[in-house]
Protein backbone atom coordinates (compact mmCIF):
# COMPACT_ATOMS: atom_id res chain seq x y z
CA UNK A 1 0.00 0.00 0.00
CA UNK A 2 1.26 3.38 -1.09
CA UNK A 3 -0.99 5.17 1.38
CA UNK A 4 1.30 4.75 4.40
CA UNK A 5 4.20 6.45 2.63
CA UNK A 6 2.23 9.44 1.40
CA UNK A 7 3.29 12.92 2.31
CA UNK A 8 0.63 14.85 4.22
CA UNK A 9 -1.56 17.38 2.48
CA UNK A 10 -1.29 15.90 -0.98
CA UNK A 11 -3.42 17.35 -3.79
CA UNK A 12 -3.53 15.64 -7.19
CA UNK A 13 -4.35 17.49 -10.42
CA UNK A 14 -4.69 15.64 -13.72
CA UNK A 15 -5.32 16.75 -17.28
CA UNK A 16 -8.30 16.13 -19.55
CA UNK A 17 -6.19 13.91 -21.78
CA UNK A 18 -7.60 11.80 -24.58
CA UNK A 19 -11.06 11.99 -22.96
CA UNK A 20 -11.59 15.73 -22.90
CA UNK A 21 -9.71 16.88 -25.97
CA UNK A 22 -11.76 15.21 -28.76
CA UNK A 23 -15.15 16.76 -27.79
CA UNK A 24 -13.41 20.07 -26.96
CA UNK A 25 -11.98 20.07 -30.50
CA UNK A 26 -15.23 18.89 -32.13
CA UNK A 27 -17.27 21.71 -30.57
CA UNK A 28 -14.41 24.22 -30.71
CA UNK A 29 -14.78 24.86 -26.98
CA UNK A 30 -12.58 27.78 -26.00
CA UNK A 31 -12.87 29.54 -29.37
CA UNK A 32 -15.05 32.65 -29.85
CA UNK A 33 -18.60 31.93 -31.02
CA UNK A 34 -21.87 33.72 -31.83
CA UNK A 35 -24.82 33.59 -29.46
CA UNK A 36 -26.93 31.69 -31.99
CA UNK A 37 -24.53 28.78 -31.51
CA UNK A 38 -24.77 28.85 -27.72
CA UNK A 39 -27.11 25.82 -27.42
CA UNK A 40 -24.72 23.69 -29.43
CA UNK A 41 -21.78 25.02 -27.39
CA UNK A 42 -23.60 24.10 -24.20
CA UNK A 43 -24.02 20.54 -25.47
CA UNK A 44 -20.29 20.51 -26.22
CA UNK A 45 -19.58 21.81 -22.72
CA UNK A 46 -21.73 19.01 -21.27
CA UNK A 47 -19.93 16.39 -23.36
CA UNK A 48 -16.47 17.59 -22.37
CA UNK A 49 -17.44 17.70 -18.71
CA UNK A 50 -18.87 14.20 -18.84
CA UNK A 51 -15.90 12.70 -20.71
CA UNK A 52 -13.36 14.24 -18.33
CA UNK A 53 -15.42 12.88 -15.44
CA UNK A 54 -15.06 9.39 -16.88
CA UNK A 55 -11.27 9.76 -16.99
CA UNK A 56 -11.32 11.10 -13.44
CA UNK A 57 -13.35 8.09 -12.35
CA UNK A 58 -10.77 5.68 -13.79
CA UNK A 59 -7.92 7.55 -12.09
CA UNK A 60 -9.74 7.68 -8.76
CA UNK A 61 -10.54 3.96 -8.97
CA UNK A 62 -6.86 3.18 -9.39
CA UNK A 63 -5.86 5.47 -6.50
CA UNK A 64 -8.51 3.91 -4.23
CA UNK A 65 -7.19 0.44 -5.09
CA UNK A 66 -3.80 1.66 -3.85
CA UNK A 67 -5.36 2.68 -0.54
CA UNK A 68 -5.51 6.42 -1.20
CA UNK A 69 -8.66 8.14 0.14
CA UNK A 70 -9.35 10.44 -2.79
CA UNK A 71 -12.10 12.99 -3.16
CA UNK A 72 -12.77 14.25 -6.66
CA UNK A 73 -13.57 17.95 -6.91
CA UNK A 74 -14.40 19.02 -10.47
CA UNK A 75 -13.38 22.62 -11.24
CA UNK A 76 -16.74 23.06 -13.04
CA UNK A 77 -18.50 22.66 -9.71
CA UNK A 78 -16.77 25.51 -7.91
CA UNK A 79 -14.76 27.62 -10.35
CA UNK A 80 -15.73 30.30 -12.85
CA UNK A 81 -13.26 32.20 -15.01
CA UNK A 82 -12.69 35.67 -16.39
CA UNK A 83 -11.41 35.69 -19.96
CA UNK A 84 -10.13 32.11 -19.66
CA UNK A 85 -8.30 32.66 -16.36
CA UNK A 86 -9.53 31.37 -13.02
CA UNK A 87 -10.30 34.13 -10.59
CA UNK A 88 -10.96 34.14 -6.90
CA UNK A 89 -12.86 31.12 -5.69
CA UNK A 90 -13.52 29.37 -2.42
CA UNK A 91 -10.87 26.82 -1.45
CA UNK A 92 -12.31 26.16 2.00
CA UNK A 93 -13.81 22.81 1.11
CA UNK A 94 -10.46 21.61 -0.27
CA UNK A 95 -8.83 22.71 2.98
CA UNK A 96 -11.50 20.82 4.94
CA UNK A 97 -10.85 17.62 2.99
CA UNK A 98 -7.09 17.98 3.48
CA UNK A 99 -7.55 18.52 7.22
CA UNK A 100 -9.66 15.36 7.40
CA UNK A 101 -6.93 13.33 5.69
CA UNK A 102 -8.38 13.09 2.20
CA UNK A 103 -6.48 13.56 -1.05
CA UNK A 104 -8.41 16.02 -3.25
CA UNK A 105 -8.23 15.23 -6.96
CA UNK A 106 -8.81 18.09 -9.40
CA UNK A 107 -8.45 18.16 -13.15
CA UNK A 108 -8.61 20.13 -16.38
CA UNK A 109 -12.27 20.97 -17.01
CA UNK A 110 -14.73 23.33 -18.70
CA UNK A 111 -16.05 26.28 -16.70
CA UNK A 112 -18.44 29.21 -17.10
CA UNK A 113 -16.59 32.37 -18.12
CA UNK A 114 -18.04 35.84 -17.53
CA UNK A 115 -16.53 37.14 -20.75
CA UNK A 116 -16.28 34.30 -23.28
CA UNK A 117 -19.17 32.29 -21.74
CA UNK A 118 -17.38 28.94 -21.87
CA UNK A 119 -13.70 28.25 -21.18
CA UNK A 120 -11.38 25.27 -21.02
CA UNK A 121 -9.27 25.41 -17.87
CA UNK A 122 -6.19 23.22 -18.18
CA UNK A 123 -5.00 21.00 -15.37
CA UNK A 124 -1.82 23.11 -15.48
CA UNK A 125 -3.76 26.28 -14.69
CA UNK A 126 -5.69 24.53 -11.90
CA UNK A 127 -2.42 23.24 -10.42
CA UNK A 128 -0.91 26.72 -10.49
CA UNK A 129 -3.96 28.30 -8.87
CA UNK A 130 -4.40 25.71 -6.15
CA UNK A 131 -0.69 25.62 -5.31
CA UNK A 132 -0.57 29.39 -5.05
CA UNK A 133 -3.53 29.68 -2.69
CA UNK A 134 -2.71 26.64 -0.60
CA UNK A 135 0.92 27.83 -0.42
CA UNK A 136 2.15 24.39 -1.42
CA UNK A 137 5.63 23.29 -0.37
CA UNK A 138 6.32 21.11 -3.36
CA UNK A 139 4.85 21.02 -6.88
CA UNK A 140 5.57 18.09 -9.15
CA UNK A 141 4.16 18.12 -12.64
CA UNK A 142 4.31 14.71 -14.26
CA UNK A 143 4.27 14.47 -18.05
CA UNK A 144 5.59 12.05 -20.70
CA UNK A 145 9.11 13.48 -20.92
CA UNK A 146 11.63 14.29 -18.19
CA UNK A 147 10.99 18.03 -18.29
CA UNK A 148 12.03 20.70 -20.76
CA UNK A 149 14.31 19.99 -23.75
CA UNK A 150 15.67 22.22 -26.50
CA UNK A 151 13.67 20.13 -28.97
CA UNK A 152 11.02 17.43 -28.68
CA UNK A 153 13.11 14.53 -27.31
CA UNK A 154 10.72 11.98 -28.79
CA UNK A 155 11.44 13.04 -32.35
CA UNK A 156 14.89 14.61 -32.05
CA UNK A 157 17.96 12.66 -30.95
CA UNK A 158 19.94 15.85 -30.49
CA UNK A 159 17.45 17.32 -27.99
CA UNK A 160 19.31 18.71 -24.98
CA UNK A 161 17.77 18.59 -21.50
CA UNK A 162 17.32 21.88 -19.64
CA UNK A 163 17.83 21.45 -15.91
CA UNK A 164 16.36 24.73 -14.80
CA UNK A 165 14.06 27.40 -16.23
CA UNK A 166 14.12 30.83 -14.60
CA UNK A 167 12.20 32.99 -17.05
CA UNK A 168 10.07 32.90 -20.15
CA UNK A 169 13.19 33.97 -22.10
CA UNK A 170 14.71 30.55 -21.38
CA UNK A 171 11.98 28.79 -23.34
CA UNK A 172 11.32 31.27 -26.13
CA UNK A 173 12.89 28.92 -28.65
CA UNK A 174 10.33 26.27 -27.67
CA UNK A 175 7.23 28.04 -28.92
CA UNK A 176 7.26 26.39 -32.32
CA UNK A 177 9.17 23.21 -31.67
CA UNK A 178 6.94 21.18 -29.35
CA UNK A 179 3.62 19.57 -29.91
CA UNK A 180 0.91 21.84 -28.59
CA UNK A 181 -2.38 20.43 -27.31
CA UNK A 182 -5.58 22.41 -26.78
CA UNK A 183 -4.38 23.55 -23.39
CA UNK A 184 -0.87 24.63 -24.31
CA UNK A 185 1.54 21.69 -24.20
CA UNK A 186 4.96 22.12 -22.61
CA UNK A 187 5.07 25.89 -23.10
CA UNK A 188 1.72 26.21 -21.33
CA UNK A 189 2.98 24.13 -18.43
CA UNK A 190 6.15 26.18 -18.01
CA UNK A 191 4.20 29.45 -18.18
CA UNK A 192 1.86 28.33 -15.40
CA UNK A 193 4.80 27.22 -13.28
CA UNK A 194 6.65 30.49 -13.87
CA UNK A 195 3.54 32.30 -12.59
CA UNK A 196 3.88 30.17 -9.51
CA UNK A 197 7.61 30.92 -9.23
CA UNK A 198 6.67 34.61 -9.02
CA UNK A 199 5.00 33.74 -5.73
CA UNK A 200 8.20 32.13 -4.50
CA UNK A 201 7.02 28.58 -5.17
CA UNK A 202 9.46 26.38 -7.10
CA UNK A 203 8.30 23.35 -9.04
CA UNK A 204 9.54 20.42 -11.08
CA UNK A 205 8.47 18.83 -14.34
CA UNK A 206 9.21 15.10 -14.33
CA UNK A 207 8.59 12.05 -16.50
CA UNK A 208 5.59 10.30 -14.96
CA UNK A 209 6.18 7.26 -17.19
CA UNK A 210 9.60 6.64 -15.65
CA UNK A 211 9.47 3.55 -13.45
CA UNK A 212 8.94 4.56 -9.81
CA UNK A 213 9.19 8.31 -10.46
CA UNK A 214 5.72 9.19 -9.15
CA UNK A 215 6.15 7.02 -6.06
CA UNK A 216 9.52 8.64 -5.32
CA UNK A 217 7.99 12.09 -5.73
CA UNK A 218 5.04 11.14 -3.48
CA UNK A 219 7.53 10.03 -0.83
CA UNK A 220 9.21 13.41 -1.02
CA UNK A 221 12.34 12.18 -2.83
CA UNK A 222 14.24 13.88 -5.64
CA UNK A 223 13.37 12.90 -9.21
CA UNK A 224 15.13 13.77 -12.47
CA UNK A 225 13.47 16.60 -14.35
CA UNK A 226 13.44 20.33 -14.94
CA UNK A 227 13.19 22.77 -12.07
CA UNK A 228 11.10 25.91 -12.60
CA UNK A 229 12.09 28.76 -10.29
CA UNK A 230 12.98 32.43 -10.29
CA UNK A 231 16.65 33.24 -9.70
CA UNK B 1 -35.15 16.27 -29.22
CA UNK B 2 -36.56 16.79 -25.77
CA UNK B 3 -34.50 19.92 -25.28
CA UNK B 4 -36.87 22.26 -27.14
CA UNK B 5 -39.80 21.32 -24.92
CA UNK B 6 -37.98 21.73 -21.64
CA UNK B 7 -39.29 24.07 -19.02
CA UNK B 8 -36.84 26.82 -18.11
CA UNK B 9 -34.74 26.59 -14.99
CA UNK B 10 -34.80 22.83 -14.69
CA UNK B 11 -32.66 21.15 -12.03
CA UNK B 12 -32.31 17.35 -11.93
CA UNK B 13 -31.49 15.40 -8.76
CA UNK B 14 -30.94 11.66 -8.85
CA UNK B 15 -30.24 9.06 -6.19
CA UNK B 16 -27.16 6.94 -5.55
CA UNK B 17 -29.06 3.81 -6.56
CA UNK B 18 -27.44 0.46 -7.06
CA UNK B 19 -24.06 2.17 -7.53
CA UNK B 20 -23.76 4.00 -4.22
CA UNK B 21 -25.57 1.70 -1.83
CA UNK B 22 -23.32 -1.42 -1.94
CA UNK B 23 -20.07 0.36 -0.91
CA UNK B 24 -22.03 2.52 1.57
CA UNK B 25 -23.34 -0.67 3.17
CA UNK B 26 -19.98 -2.46 3.00
CA UNK B 27 -18.14 0.33 4.84
CA UNK B 28 -21.16 1.22 7.02
CA UNK B 29 -20.96 4.82 5.86
CA UNK B 30 -23.35 6.92 7.93
CA UNK B 31 -23.04 4.79 11.06
CA UNK B 32 -21.01 5.93 14.09
CA UNK B 33 -17.38 4.77 14.13
CA UNK B 34 -14.21 5.07 16.19
CA UNK B 35 -11.35 7.30 15.08
CA UNK B 36 -9.02 4.30 14.67
CA UNK B 37 -11.28 3.23 11.78
CA UNK B 38 -11.18 6.62 10.09
CA UNK B 39 -8.68 5.62 7.34
CA UNK B 40 -10.86 2.71 6.32
CA UNK B 41 -13.95 4.94 6.45
CA UNK B 42 -12.19 7.44 4.20
CA UNK B 43 -11.53 4.69 1.67
CA UNK B 44 -15.23 3.78 1.87
CA UNK B 45 -16.14 7.44 1.36
CA UNK B 46 -13.87 7.55 -1.71
CA UNK B 47 -15.45 4.38 -3.13
CA UNK B 48 -19.01 5.59 -2.66
CA UNK B 49 -18.18 8.94 -4.24
CA UNK B 50 -16.54 7.28 -7.22
CA UNK B 51 -19.34 4.76 -7.78
CA UNK B 52 -22.04 7.43 -7.63
CA UNK B 53 -20.02 9.48 -10.09
CA UNK B 54 -20.12 6.56 -12.52
CA UNK B 55 -23.92 6.40 -12.28
CA UNK B 56 -24.07 10.16 -12.76
CA UNK B 57 -21.90 9.85 -15.85
CA UNK B 58 -24.29 7.30 -17.41
CA UNK B 59 -27.31 9.51 -16.64
CA UNK B 60 -25.59 12.62 -18.02
CA UNK B 61 -24.59 10.76 -21.17
CA UNK B 62 -28.21 9.81 -21.81
CA UNK B 63 -29.43 13.36 -21.18
CA UNK B 64 -26.78 14.79 -23.51
CA UNK B 65 -27.86 12.36 -26.22
CA UNK B 66 -31.36 13.81 -25.84
CA UNK B 67 -29.98 17.30 -26.43
CA UNK B 68 -30.03 18.46 -22.82
CA UNK B 69 -27.03 20.64 -21.80
CA UNK B 70 -26.37 19.16 -18.39
CA UNK B 71 -23.76 20.17 -15.85
CA UNK B 72 -23.06 17.70 -13.08
CA UNK B 73 -22.47 19.26 -9.67
CA UNK B 74 -21.57 16.65 -7.03
CA UNK B 75 -22.77 17.60 -3.53
CA UNK B 76 -19.39 16.41 -2.19
CA UNK B 77 -17.74 19.28 -4.03
CA UNK B 78 -19.70 22.09 -2.41
CA UNK B 79 -21.73 20.78 0.53
CA UNK B 80 -20.82 19.88 4.09
CA UNK B 81 -23.32 18.72 6.70
CA UNK B 82 -24.05 19.08 10.37
CA UNK B 83 -25.21 15.84 12.01
CA UNK B 84 -26.29 14.38 8.65
CA UNK B 85 -28.25 17.44 7.55
CA UNK B 86 -27.06 19.86 4.89
CA UNK B 87 -26.54 23.34 6.20
CA UNK B 88 -26.02 26.65 4.53
CA UNK B 89 -23.99 26.42 1.35
CA UNK B 90 -23.36 28.52 -1.68
CA UNK B 91 -25.87 28.04 -4.50
CA UNK B 92 -24.52 30.88 -6.64
CA UNK B 93 -22.79 28.61 -9.13
CA UNK B 94 -26.01 26.64 -9.66
CA UNK B 95 -27.83 29.93 -10.27
CA UNK B 96 -25.12 30.95 -12.75
CA UNK B 97 -25.50 27.69 -14.69
CA UNK B 98 -29.30 28.07 -14.74
CA UNK B 99 -29.00 31.65 -16.00
CA UNK B 100 -26.72 30.46 -18.80
CA UNK B 101 -29.26 27.85 -19.88
CA UNK B 102 -27.68 24.74 -18.41
CA UNK B 103 -29.49 21.97 -16.54
CA UNK B 104 -27.63 21.30 -13.27
CA UNK B 105 -27.62 17.64 -12.24
CA UNK B 106 -27.12 16.83 -8.55
CA UNK B 107 -27.38 13.53 -6.73
CA UNK B 108 -27.19 11.59 -3.50
CA UNK B 109 -23.57 11.68 -2.33
CA UNK B 110 -21.21 11.43 0.63
CA UNK B 111 -20.14 14.63 2.34
CA UNK B 112 -17.93 15.78 5.21
CA UNK B 113 -19.92 16.24 8.41
CA UNK B 114 -18.68 18.47 11.24
CA UNK B 115 -20.14 16.13 13.86
CA UNK B 116 -20.15 12.56 12.54
CA UNK B 117 -17.19 13.18 10.11
CA UNK B 118 -18.79 11.40 7.15
CA UNK B 119 -22.43 11.47 6.10
CA UNK B 120 -24.58 10.09 3.31
CA UNK B 121 -26.81 12.79 1.89
CA UNK B 122 -29.75 11.32 -0.02
CA UNK B 123 -30.91 12.70 -3.34
CA UNK B 124 -34.19 13.41 -1.54
CA UNK B 125 -32.46 15.68 0.95
CA UNK B 126 -30.53 17.45 -1.81
CA UNK B 127 -33.77 17.97 -3.77
CA UNK B 128 -35.48 19.45 -0.71
CA UNK B 129 -32.60 21.78 0.04
CA UNK B 130 -32.09 23.00 -3.51
CA UNK B 131 -35.82 23.50 -4.12
CA UNK B 132 -36.16 25.50 -0.92
CA UNK B 133 -33.32 27.85 -1.66
CA UNK B 134 -34.03 28.24 -5.35
CA UNK B 135 -37.72 28.75 -4.51
CA UNK B 136 -38.71 26.19 -7.12
CA UNK B 137 -42.16 26.40 -8.72
CA UNK B 138 -42.61 22.71 -9.25
CA UNK B 139 -41.03 19.65 -7.66
CA UNK B 140 -41.49 16.24 -9.21
CA UNK B 141 -39.95 13.24 -7.48
CA UNK B 142 -39.84 10.22 -9.76
CA UNK B 143 -39.64 6.78 -8.19
CA UNK B 144 -40.72 3.22 -9.12
CA UNK B 145 -44.33 3.47 -7.88
CA UNK B 146 -46.98 6.13 -8.55
CA UNK B 147 -46.57 7.82 -5.17
CA UNK B 148 -47.67 6.81 -1.69
CA UNK B 149 -49.79 3.72 -1.01
CA UNK B 150 -51.20 2.26 2.21
CA UNK B 151 -48.99 -0.78 1.58
CA UNK B 152 -46.19 -1.63 -0.83
CA UNK B 153 -48.16 -1.93 -4.11
CA UNK B 154 -45.54 -4.26 -5.57
CA UNK B 155 -46.19 -6.95 -2.99
CA UNK B 156 -49.77 -6.16 -1.88
CA UNK B 157 -52.73 -6.29 -4.24
CA UNK B 158 -54.91 -4.49 -1.71
CA UNK B 159 -52.62 -1.46 -1.48
CA UNK B 160 -54.67 1.74 -1.74
CA UNK B 161 -53.26 4.83 -3.43
CA UNK B 162 -53.06 8.04 -1.39
CA UNK B 163 -53.67 11.10 -3.52
CA UNK B 164 -52.43 13.70 -1.10
CA UNK B 165 -50.26 13.82 2.01
CA UNK B 166 -50.60 16.85 4.29
CA UNK B 167 -48.71 15.82 7.40
CA UNK B 168 -46.48 13.18 8.89
CA UNK B 169 -49.57 11.74 10.60
CA UNK B 170 -50.91 10.71 7.18
CA UNK B 171 -48.01 8.32 6.66
CA UNK B 172 -47.40 7.06 10.18
CA UNK B 173 -48.75 3.62 9.25
CA UNK B 174 -46.08 3.43 6.53
CA UNK B 175 -43.04 3.33 8.82
CA UNK B 176 -42.89 -0.43 9.00
CA UNK B 177 -44.62 -1.47 5.79
CA UNK B 178 -42.35 -0.25 3.00
CA UNK B 179 -38.92 -1.30 1.98
CA UNK B 180 -36.39 1.10 3.43
CA UNK B 181 -33.08 1.74 1.70
CA UNK B 182 -29.98 3.32 3.25
CA UNK B 183 -31.38 6.79 2.63
CA UNK B 184 -34.93 6.27 3.89
CA UNK B 185 -37.16 4.85 1.17
CA UNK B 186 -40.66 6.27 0.69
CA UNK B 187 -40.97 7.58 4.24
CA UNK B 188 -37.70 9.47 3.82
CA UNK B 189 -38.94 11.01 0.57
CA UNK B 190 -42.24 12.13 2.08
CA UNK B 191 -40.48 13.62 5.10
CA UNK B 192 -38.17 15.70 2.90
CA UNK B 193 -41.11 16.89 0.82
CA UNK B 194 -43.15 17.79 3.93
CA UNK B 195 -40.19 19.93 5.04
CA UNK B 196 -40.51 21.65 1.70
CA UNK B 197 -44.28 22.02 2.09
CA UNK B 198 -43.58 23.98 5.29
CA UNK B 199 -41.96 26.57 3.05
CA UNK B 200 -45.10 26.73 0.93
CA UNK B 201 -43.68 24.55 -1.84
CA UNK B 202 -45.92 21.67 -2.98
CA UNK B 203 -44.52 18.63 -4.71
CA UNK B 204 -45.51 15.38 -6.39
CA UNK B 205 -44.22 11.82 -6.24
CA UNK B 206 -44.75 10.04 -9.54
CA UNK B 207 -43.87 6.75 -11.19
CA UNK B 208 -40.82 7.46 -13.35
CA UNK B 209 -41.15 4.06 -15.02
CA UNK B 210 -44.57 4.91 -16.42
CA UNK B 211 -44.32 5.43 -20.19
CA UNK B 212 -43.99 9.16 -20.96
CA UNK B 213 -44.46 10.29 -17.36
CA UNK B 214 -41.09 12.06 -17.06
CA UNK B 215 -41.49 13.76 -20.43
CA UNK B 216 -44.98 14.99 -19.50
CA UNK B 217 -43.64 16.32 -16.20
CA UNK B 218 -40.73 18.04 -17.97
CA UNK B 219 -43.21 19.71 -20.28
CA UNK B 220 -45.09 21.03 -17.29
CA UNK B 221 -48.08 18.69 -17.63
CA UNK B 222 -49.99 16.88 -14.87
CA UNK B 223 -48.92 13.32 -14.03
CA UNK B 224 -50.64 10.73 -11.80
CA UNK B 225 -49.08 10.46 -8.38
CA UNK B 226 -49.26 11.68 -4.80
CA UNK B 227 -49.27 15.37 -3.99
CA UNK B 228 -47.35 16.51 -0.89
CA UNK B 229 -48.59 19.82 0.50
CA UNK B 230 -49.69 21.48 3.72
CA UNK B 231 -53.42 22.18 4.03
Amino acid sequence: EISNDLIDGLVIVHGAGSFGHPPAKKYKIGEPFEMKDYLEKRIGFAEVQNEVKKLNSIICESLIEHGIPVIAIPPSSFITSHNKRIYDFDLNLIKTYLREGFVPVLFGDVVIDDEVKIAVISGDQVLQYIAKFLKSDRIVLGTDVAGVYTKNPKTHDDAVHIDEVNSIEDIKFLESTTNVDVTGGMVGKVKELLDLADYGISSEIINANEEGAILKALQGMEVNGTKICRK
Side-chain angles (χ1 to χ4, degrees), chain A residues 34 136 208:
Chain A
E34 290 178 45
S136 299

Side-chain angles (χ1 to χ4, degrees), chain A residues 77-152:
Chain A
S77 53
F78 75 116
I79 289 175
T80 54
S81 65
H82 173 67
N83 204 12
K84 303 183 184 183
R85 297 299 296 178
I86 299 169
Y87 59 87
D88 187 39
F89 64 85
D90 188 1
L91 291 174
N92 277 321
L93 191 61
I94 293 179
K95 287 182 188 167
T96 299
Y97 278 115
L98 285 171
R99 198 175 55 231
E100 295 298 327
F102 286 89
V103 175
V105 178
L106 294 95
F107 44 85
D109 204 352
V110 275
V111 304
I112 290 286
D113 191 289
D114 66 3
E115 215 163 290
V116 298
K117 291 281 178 196
I118 281 173
V120 176
I121 299 296
S122 71
D124 304 326
Q125 189 185 152
V126 172
L127 180 151
Q128 184 260 111
Y129 191 91
I130 297 279
K132 188 159 71 185
F133 285 89
L134 294 181
K135 298 181 178 58
S136 299
D137 294 321
R138 188 175 186 202
I139 319 297
V140 179
L141 192 157
T143 181
D144 58 352
V145 291
V148 185
Y149 289 82
T150 52
K151 296 174 185 174
N152 185 342

Side-chain angles (χ1 to χ4, degrees), chain A residues 19-220:
Chain A
F19 283 70
H21 294 161
K25 210 171 165 184
K26 179 183 163 198
Y27 288 95
K28 296 180 178 148
I29 303 297
E31 293 180 25
F33 62 90
E34 290 178 45
M35 281 312 283
K36 71 175 172 55
D37 299 325
Y38 195 22
L39 175 60
E40 204 204 332
K41 288 285 171 182
R42 286 197 295 260
I43 293 291
F45 182 102
E47 266 189 37
V48 174
Q49 205 230 9
N50 206 43
E51 290 305 310
V52 175
K53 196 166 59 189
K54 285 182 199 166
L55 171 62
N56 171 258
S57 189
I58 294 167
I59 290 170
C60 286
E61 187 141 320
S62 172
L63 291 163
I64 293 167
E65 280 166 13
H66 284 84
I68 302 174
V70 291
I71 165 75
I73 307 187
S76 51
S77 53
F78 75 116
I79 289 175
T80 54
S81 65
H82 173 67
N83 204 12
K84 303 183 184 183
R85 297 299 296 178
I86 299 169
Y87 59 87
D88 187 39
F89 64 85
D90 188 1
L91 291 174
N92 277 321
L93 191 61
I94 293 179
K95 287 182 188 167
T96 299
Y97 278 115
L98 285 171
R99 198 175 55 231
E100 295 298 327
F102 286 89
V103 175
V105 178
L106 294 95
F107 44 85
D109 204 352
V110 275
V111 304
I112 290 286
D113 191 289
D114 66 3
E115 215 163 290
V116 298
K117 291 281 178 196
I118 281 173
V120 176
I121 299 296
S122 71
D124 304 326
Q125 189 185 152
V126 172
L127 180 151
Q128 184 260 111
Y129 191 91
I130 297 279
K132 188 159 71 185
F133 285 89
L134 294 181
K135 298 181 178 58
S136 299
D137 294 321
R138 188 175 186 202
I139 319 297
V140 179
L141 192 157
T143 181
D144 58 352
V145 291
V148 185
Y149 289 82
T150 52
K151 296 174 185 174
N152 185 342
K154 289 180 167 181
T155 49
H156 292 80
D157 285 343
D158 60 342
V160 178
H161 187 261
I162 298 173
D163 295 338
E164 198 172 300
V165 174
N166 303 121
S167 86
I168 196 73
E169 297 300 316
D170 296 351
I171 56 152
K172 253 197 163 157
F173 62 89
L174 266 176
E175 299 276 359
S176 58
T177 55
T178 49
N179 58 326
V180 172
D181 72 19
V182 66
T183 52
M186 185 60 83
V187 175
K189 293 181 202 311
V190 175
K191 281 184 181 170
E192 297 293 351
L193 297 178
L194 281 170
D195 263 11
L196 208 47
D198 285 336
Y199 286 82
I201 302 174
S202 303
S203 56
E204 306 142 60
I205 301 176
I206 69 162
N207 185 352
N209 290 334
E210 200 184 298
E211 184 83 28
I214 291 284
L215 185 58
K216 273 166 79 178
L218 287 175
Q219 293 170 332

